[in-house]
Amino acid sequence: MTHQTIIVLDFGSQFTQLIARRLRELSVYSEVWPPDTPIEKIRARQPVGIILSGGPKSVSEATAPTCDPAVYEIGRPVLGICYGMQLMAHALGGKVAPAPQREFGHAQVTVTSRPGPSGPGAAGTSRPGPFGPGTTDDPAALFANLPSDLRVWASHGDYVATPPPGFSVVATSANAPVAAMSDPGRALYAILFHPEVAHTERGLDILRNFAFGVCGCTGDWTMASFVEEATTRIRARVGEGRVVCALSGGVDSTVAALIIHRAVGDKLTCIFVDNGVLRLNEAAQIRKRFARLRLPLVFVDASSMFLGRLAGAIDPETKRKIIGATFIDVFEAEAAKLGQVDFLAQGTLYPDVIESVSIVGQASMIKSHHNVGGLPERMRMKLIEPLRELFKDEVRVVGRQLGLEEEFVVRQPFPGPGLAVRILGEVTPARLALLRAADAVVAEEVKRDGWYTRLWQSFAVLLPVQSVGVMGDERTYEYTCAIRAVESRDGMTADWARLPHDLLARISSRIVNEVKGINRVVYDISSKPPSTIEWE
């Protein structure tokens, strides 16, 4: 089945993937493409709409990314967001200049041109485009059924001083005379703020108006259809080949394995590697769980190998790369025991990809992920990543579609490098023991108070800091533990959780009293951005 698709051209915003995520939330399929994609390739895909993302550059810079100018004449609706708006204005004859006062954070936008009569989420009169139903004649179609004043999230140092010929000013803000503009005759729309982030009021409604009211989408993409299509695609690709799946025990790799097993049956073998940096009793729990799921599983205890190679490593990227390389070595050895194996399957997700790749569009690399970036040539296996284009909450929906129990589906994310990136500094057996015990306390107390499913992640971090304390009238000089708890919709942005003081007090008291070697507990109140969720 071919779905209606909105293509997002990525000019480097850290929020680009959120645009795609929000559209999928509306059951509209979207793909993120590089900004310099040739117009012939875009036209061949027959998108119902195109979105130009934000980005960190100024359009006046020599190295500023751009797109094929024919995008504006493709005959399908185009929405420019922030940098995308500035690029559209610059390319079509408007004037972009440094803003007298930059806008970073919340801003108030006033819609000055009101939408006409509207149906469900759209305004104006629709007329057909060259690829099917589409555009509206209403210049303010993006703001159909929305209030005149909106609190939005802005992130720009430039602004559109003069819109291009043919464009109407649709909205303004205190620091931007053109906060939104449109030329419905050419199906071109632009806004100077980010509707994809949760901080923008009614941002999802703006994207809904673009997708349904302007582009004519019907919302034909669901997780049920994804499962069917992924199963068919994998079955055709694997053919008579054999697959090994890297099973971590988390939701992502489990859902990936279930989809592949659905497609190829006993041609799949799952391999679980105990890397020595798992949580308390996790390896035993994983073996028990997957016995119930009846997935063909090979269990490998490689903890000594991993910890031996990690000895002395302090730099976070070094630790990640050691774990990734060791993981590959173990897999190579185990796969060789199985005979001829053609494919390696992983539970890679979209956020892993965007944070690992220096240019998906133009985004800056945040950190590497051990399961992103391909395999050594010597392995002679091809990758299968059924979930590579999905976000975590989408994977959970797929898990429910496949019959996984709810308690497992709502499990919080756990990093591939495990506790190695929650121990700042060298990873040693003694430090692992401290962190496992402290982390178990956090999990128990958060679940006891009903916060576990409300949080995106909650965990302990062991800091390479020792401080003086007093216990039983005696001086102690022990480690500090940080507690991290965040709320998020998809892991791309996150806010620190306002946990009740009584809950934090119990966690602190239990850790200090039960974990000999930790005498101080602190709480991390940083959001993402500017921080990341994990400390390393």
Side-chain angles (χ1 to χ4, degrees):
M1 178 180 177
T2 301
H3 297 284
Q4 293 176 318
T5 300
I6 291 178
I7 291 174
V8 181
L9 296 183
D10 179 11
F11 292 95
S13 170
Q14 297 294 348
F15 302 138
T16 297
Q17 308 309 317
L18 286 180
I19 303 172
R21 175 64 197 95
R22 299 297 175 249
L23 290 169
R24 295 178 190 188
E25 198 172 305
L26 299 169
S27 297
V28 174
Y29 184 66
S30 63
E31 296 177 353
V32 177
W33 288 18
D36 56 357
T37 301
I39 193 64
E40 294 79 12
K41 183 176 180 181
I42 296 175
R43 197 180 296 276
R45 186 65 176 81
Q46 296 193 353
V48 296
I50 298 169
I51 294 180
L52 312 179
S53 83
K57 300 282 190 178
S58 169
V59 293
S60 61
E61 294 181 41
T63 58
T66 186
C67 62
D68 191 320
V71 163
Y72 306 113
E73 301 171 0
I74 196 173
R76 299 309 301 146
V78 180
L79 170 62
I81 294 176
C82 200
Y83 177 87
M85 173 180 179
Q86 296 163 23
L87 183 66
M88 183 185 292
H90 180 71
L92 299 177
K95 181 181 178 183
V96 178
Q101 185 172 337
R102 300 186 303 170
E103 284 187 323
F104 291 100
H106 284 293
Q108 196 75 19
V109 163
T110 299
V111 179
T112 56
S113 174
R114 296 308 303 159
S118 59
T125 304
S126 294
R127 52 186 171 79
F131 302 137
T135 59
T136 170
D137 292 316
D138 196 326
L142 295 181
F143 299 97
N145 302 323
L146 300 183
S148 295
D149 293 308
L150 294 169
R151 194 164 183 250
V152 304
W153 186 261
S155 180
H156 60 89
D158 292 346
Y159 75 127
V160 177
T162 306
F167 278 75
S168 301
V169 176
V170 177
T172 64
S173 72
N175 298 310
V178 187
M181 65 182 190
S182 69
D183 181 350
R186 288 186 285 175
L188 302 176
Y189 303 81
I191 51 180
L192 199 59
F193 55 89
H194 291 272
E196 69 273 23
V197 302
H199 305 298
T200 292
E201 289 178 350
R202 309 294 294 271
L204 188 62
D205 290 325
I206 292 172
L207 291 175
R208 177 184 288 110
N209 284 335
F210 177 71
F212 290 88
V214 176
C215 298
C217 292
T218 57
D220 64 351
W221 191 68
T222 64
M223 289 299 98
S225 68
F226 169 81
V227 171
E228 291 303 322
E229 290 167 23
T231 302
T232 301
R233 185 170 60 249
I234 291 167
R235 184 178 294 128
R237 187 179 178 205
V238 171
E240 295 303 313
R242 296 185 65 192
V243 186
V244 290
C245 180
L247 203 62
S248 71
V251 177
D252 305 336
S253 62
T254 301
V255 170
L258 287 172
I259 290 176
I260 295 167
H261 192 247
R262 195 171 183 262
V264 303
D266 59 8
K267 296 172 188 171
L268 167 71
T269 301
C270 297
I271 299 177
F272 171 75
V273 178
D274 182 352
N275 57 17
V277 287
L278 299 175
R279 289 167 290 195
L280 189 65
N281 301 323
E282 190 163 17
Q285 293 168 3
I286 288 169
R287 296 184 76 167
K288 184 176 179 181
R289 178 176 297 114
F290 289 102
R292 290 200 304 268
L293 290 174
R294 297 184 179 179
L295 287 172
L297 179 66
V298 173
F299 183 91
V300 185
D301 184 356
S303 54
S304 295
M305 180 189 297
F306 278 87
L307 294 180
R309 293 186 180 182
L310 283 168
I314 296 175
D315 178 71
E317 280 300 292
T318 300
K319 289 193 284 187
R320 286 177 177 273
K321 289 173 181 175
I322 288 171
I323 289 172
T326 307
F327 179 81
I328 292 294
D329 289 345
V330 173
F331 248 85
E332 187 177 29
E334 292 302 319
K337 297 176 185 176
L338 299 174
Q340 177 63 37
V341 175
D342 308 281
F343 299 92
L344 171 62
Q346 296 183 155
T348 309
L349 301 190
Y350 221 166
D352 299 339
V353 175
I354 188 57
E355 288 193 337
S356 294
V357 181
S358 59
I359 295 182
V360 178
Q362 305 287 324
S364 299
M365 189 186 84
I366 305 301
K367 58 189 175 182
S368 65
H369 288 256
H370 76 288
N371 59 338
V372 178
L375 300 171
E377 289 184 10
R378 68 176 189 271
M379 289 195 70
R380 300 186 182 280
M381 282 192 280
K382 298 175 182 177
L383 274 178
I384 292 181
E385 298 171 307
L387 313 178
R388 187 181 176 88
E389 303 302 320
L390 296 189
F391 292 87
K392 175 69 78 171
D393 52 341
E394 292 178 305
V395 174
R396 288 179 171 141
V397 174
V398 172
R400 294 184 182 100
Q401 294 275 347
L402 296 175
L404 286 175
E405 67 271 24
E406 187 67 15
E407 182 179 357
F408 182 61
V409 168
V410 299
R411 225 183 123 168
Q412 294 178 358
F414 186 62
L419 299 181
V421 292
R422 293 179 179 173
I423 295 176
L424 275 61
E426 185 179 7
V427 179
T428 67
R431 289 180 175 181
L432 278 166
L434 290 177
L435 182 56
R436 284 192 179 106
D439 191 70
V441 170
V442 174
E444 289 171 12
E445 292 299 330
V446 165
K447 288 177 181 178
R448 180 179 302 173
D449 267 28
W451 272 85
Y452 186 82
T453 56
R454 295 172 59 181
L455 298 172
W456 177 260
Q457 279 176 281
S458 52
F459 54 88
V461 180
L462 189 67
L463 307 185
V465 175
Q466 290 178 286
S467 62
V468 174
V470 178
M471 295 186 71
D473 294 326
E474 293 186 359
R475 177 186 185 276
T476 62
Y477 190 64
E478 297 176 339
Y479 283 103
T480 298
C481 170
I483 307 302
R484 183 73 158 141
V486 298
E487 296 176 296
S488 177
R489 295 173 69 176
D490 43 42
M492 295 300 293
T493 60
D495 194 16
W496 63 277
R498 276 63 171 175
L499 296 182
H501 290 179
D502 287 349
L503 172 57
L504 290 172
R506 284 202 310 277
I507 291 173
S508 176
S509 178
R510 282 194 58 191
I511 290 175
V512 170
N513 282 284
E514 297 174 22
V515 185
K516 184 174 176 53
I518 295 176
N519 68 354
R520 192 176 298 272
V521 177
V522 298
Y523 188 52
D524 182 351
I525 59 169
S526 308
S527 296
K528 176 186 178 181
S531 301
T532 55
I533 296 176
E534 298 290 344
W535 278 48
E536 290 189 343

